[in-house]
């Protein structure tokens, strides 16, 4: 067994440095209260601050959250435009606080389809927080794992055509450099709320060896206590990465 393997297996008992969350269940949360779906999205957005704030004490350096998928455009126009407005307001409202709390914000996903006003706000927030290092918050917005890999392949093909990289140099180390997540470590733990046990096109490449936690709680009810419980449980898992546990 190589040094790399023994180091990874001895990770048992360590917390997850990178947690990714599929924030699902806003619509059902609102429905249960006889309210429109957007009411649930607003309640869901309010939860994010508490979870980001809980990260440093839990040893979570990277938090990646799924806010809008490439498939979510299939929803009604009213819901989609309500969500887009919510994202804009959210950035305007939270930017200073995120900056002051040492949060470095990044966005992943395809920006092409997003409104230019929203994209400007995303760029500004990324720039404004670029020196921060307390927590790295990545927001997946118009993100799809397949779309990300396809866009990466397109840019890679372009570089091959230009002679910047040789076909035989395309491998597991070079391809991820073209992904939106190229500066991030792979997620150690992926949490999905709302009782659905599927990944819905989230971080397909990056989560090859992530641990998964599917919980019934709807996202607007997800508290820092629930989050802490999941992080503590993670330490009891044995990750093998295809090898044999020691
Ligand atoms: C997740 O909540 C938020 C987004 C996908 C934008 P949903 O809107 O999917 O809520 P449910 O799954 O319908 O309850
Ligand atoms: C996944 O939730 C996307 C986000 C949380 C942003 P969905 O509600 O869109 O996933 P499906 O449709 O239930 O698979
Ligand atoms: Mg859903």
């Amino acid at each position: 067994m190589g040094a790399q393997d023994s180091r990874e297996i001895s990770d048992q008992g360590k917390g997850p440095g990178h947690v990714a969350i599929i924030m699902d269940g806003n619509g059902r949360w609102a429905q249960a209260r006889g309210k429109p779906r957007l009411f649930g999205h607003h309640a869901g957005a309010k939860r994010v601050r508490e979870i980001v704030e809980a990260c440093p004490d839990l040893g979570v350096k990277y938090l990646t959250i799924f806010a809008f998928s490439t498939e979510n455009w299939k929803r009604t126009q009213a819901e989609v435009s309500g969500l887009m407005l919510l994202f804009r307001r959210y950035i305007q409202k939270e930017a200073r606080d995120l900056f002051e709390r040492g949060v470095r914000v990044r966005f992943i996903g395809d920006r092409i389809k997003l409104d230019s006003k929203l994209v400007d706000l995303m760029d500004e927030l990324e720039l404004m927080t670029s020196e921060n290092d307390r927590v790295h918050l990545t927001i997946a917005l118009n993100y799809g794992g397949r779309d990300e890999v396809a866009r990466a392949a397109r840019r890679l093909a372009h570089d091959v055509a230009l002679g910047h990289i040789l076909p035989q140099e395309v491998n597991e180390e070079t391809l991820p450099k073209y992904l939106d997540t190229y500066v991030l470590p792979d997620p150690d733990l992926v949490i999905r709320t709302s009782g659905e046990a599927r990944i819905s096109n989230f971080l397909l490449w990056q989560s090859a060896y992530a641990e998964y936690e599917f919980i019934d709680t709807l996202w607007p009810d997800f508290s820092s206590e629930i989050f802490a419980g999941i992080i503590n449980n993670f330490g009891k898992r044995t990750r093998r990465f295809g090898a044999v546990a020691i």
Side-chain angles (χ1 to χ4, degrees):
M1 186 189 293
Q4 173 79 0
D5 299 328
S6 51
R7 184 181 54 74
E8 282 172 347
I9 289 168
S10 67
D11 270 359
Q12 193 185 5
K14 256 182 63 180
H18 184 178
V19 177
I21 307 184
I22 302 172
M23 308 184 291
D24 197 15
N26 295 348
R28 278 164 282 171
W29 187 89
Q31 216 169 7
R33 285 157 183 78
K35 303 272 193 189
R37 295 178 59 83
L38 276 167
F39 182 75
H41 294 315
H42 279 90
K46 283 202 193 106
R47 276 290 169 193
V48 173
R49 185 193 284 219
E50 178 183 339
I51 302 309
V52 173
E53 208 31 54
C55 285
D57 284 349
L58 296 171
V60 177
K61 187 85 181 171
Y62 292 86
L63 178 71
T64 299
I65 55 176
F66 204 1
F68 191 88
S69 78
T70 46
E71 288 72 35
N72 287 148
W73 298 103
K74 295 178 197 160
R75 297 184 179 200
T76 64
Q77 211 249 318
E79 182 169 354
V80 169
S81 53
L83 278 165
M84 292 301 148
L85 190 61
L86 170 64
F87 298 142
R88 266 164 64 186
R89 293 226 176 105
Y90 183 83
I91 296 173
Q92 284 168 328
K93 198 163 149 268
E94 299 289 326
R96 180 130 300 270
D97 195 70
L98 287 162
F99 170 72
E100 281 167 5
R101 285 169 194 267
V103 181
R104 176 159 189 180
V105 184
R106 294 183 179 90
F107 292 91
I108 54 170
D110 192 357
R111 299 180 191 205
I112 284 287
K113 266 182 103 173
L114 300 174
D115 182 273
S116 63
K117 286 197 206 98
L118 174 59
V119 175
D120 287 349
L121 288 167
M122 290 158 64
D123 288 341
E124 273 170 40
L125 185 57
E126 282 190 334
L127 188 66
M128 176 181 173
T129 61
S130 61
E131 304 283 308
N132 283 348
D133 187 42
R134 187 161 157 262
V135 187
H136 291 244
L137 171 67
T138 302
I139 304 175
L141 223 169
N142 193 25
Y143 175 86
R146 287 183 172 179
D147 176 70
E148 180 193 33
V149 173
R151 283 187 288 107
R154 198 184 310 144
R155 281 191 289 127
L156 184 51
H158 197 67
D159 277 0
V160 169
L162 291 172
H164 294 157
I165 179 167
L166 297 169
Q168 56 269 33
E169 287 169 341
V170 178
N171 56 39
E172 286 188 29
E173 270 74 49
T174 53
L175 191 144
K177 293 190 172 46
Y178 290 82
L179 296 173
D180 297 349
T181 52
Y182 65 101
V183 290
L184 305 176
D186 285 342
D188 300 295
L189 172 67
V190 179
I191 300 170
R192 182 175 188 143
T193 56
S194 91
E196 311 292 354
R198 54 176 174 260
I199 56 173
S200 301
N201 207 5
F202 193 41
L203 302 175
L204 297 181
W205 172 284
Q206 299 86 343
S207 299
Y209 264 101
E211 300 291 323
Y212 282 89
E213 194 75 52
F214 298 103
I215 62 157
D216 288 337
T217 312
L218 301 173
W219 174 253
D221 291 329
F222 190 80
S223 63
S224 51
E225 289 78 22
I226 298 173
F227 188 42
I230 294 173
I231 303 299
N232 286 334
N233 271 338
F234 175 90
K236 297 177 197 144
R237 294 178 179 224
T238 306
R239 301 178 80 191
R240 301 195 186 91
F241 300 97
V244 177
I246 41 170

